[in-house]
Amino acid sequence: QVQLVESGGGLVQAGGSLRLSCAASGRIYSSYVMAWFRQAPGKEREFVAAIRGSVFYADSVKGRFTISRDYTKNMLYLQMNSLKPEDTAVYYCATGPDMVQVTTAYVYWGPGTQVTVSS
């Protein structure tokens, strides 16, 4: 079993920055992809970014968000800059074997952390 817990969400003004963290514990496979997804009210959960050596971003966050991973601490991070109101969502950390954008490919999920960007 793997446990994931996100932190770092909050309220920020448009143009501001936040750094999300995801603490992983349990039987973690270093070969697994770690990813961030988000879900806004009334919308489906969508891919944000993923990392396993290389990184991959959704077009909507490319150039503004940076995903990173600390293998020694079993931590995943998402640095979010130039935030926009449309970035408002619950952000989830997830892990799975494949570098894909579909939620069904990810095996373990955290409970999420709320990010609210005011205009």
Side-chain angles (χ1 to χ4, degrees):
Q1 285 288 344
V2 174
Q3 294 79 41
L4 303 173
V5 179
E6 305 91 342
S7 61
L11 174 64
V12 63
Q13 287 189 333
S17 298
L18 279 176
R19 188 193 194 207
L20 304 184
S21 299
C22 172
S25 61
R27 193 172 182 179
I28 301 159
Y29 298 99
S30 60
S31 61
Y32 266 31
V33 174
M34 293 203 75
W36 290 98
F37 285 77
R38 66 186 182 186
Q39 187 165 18
K43 295 188 177 181
E44 293 188 351
R45 194 168 298 188
E46 66 174 7
F47 172 81
V48 174
I51 184 168
R52 181 178 58 191
S54 58
V55 298
F56 184 55
Y57 296 98
D59 288 343
S60 59
V61 306
K62 202 172 294 183
R64 300 187 298 122
F65 290 11
T66 302
I67 188 172
S68 60
R69 183 174 180 178
D70 186 332
Y71 288 89
T72 63
K73 297 180 180 179
N74 288 329
M75 294 292 294
L76 178 71
Y77 304 101
L78 185 69
Q79 178 66 43
M80 306 186 295
N81 299 328
S82 302
L83 282 161
K84 305 175 181 179
E86 51 263 43
D87 294 318
T88 295
V90 177
Y91 283 71
Y92 298 90
C93 170
T95 187
D98 300 314
M99 179 77 90
V100 293
Q101 299 184 55
V102 294
T103 58
T104 52
Y106 292 84
V107 180
Y108 299 102
W109 292 83
T113 185
Q114 176 70 47
V115 171
T116 303
V117 184
S118 63
S119 56

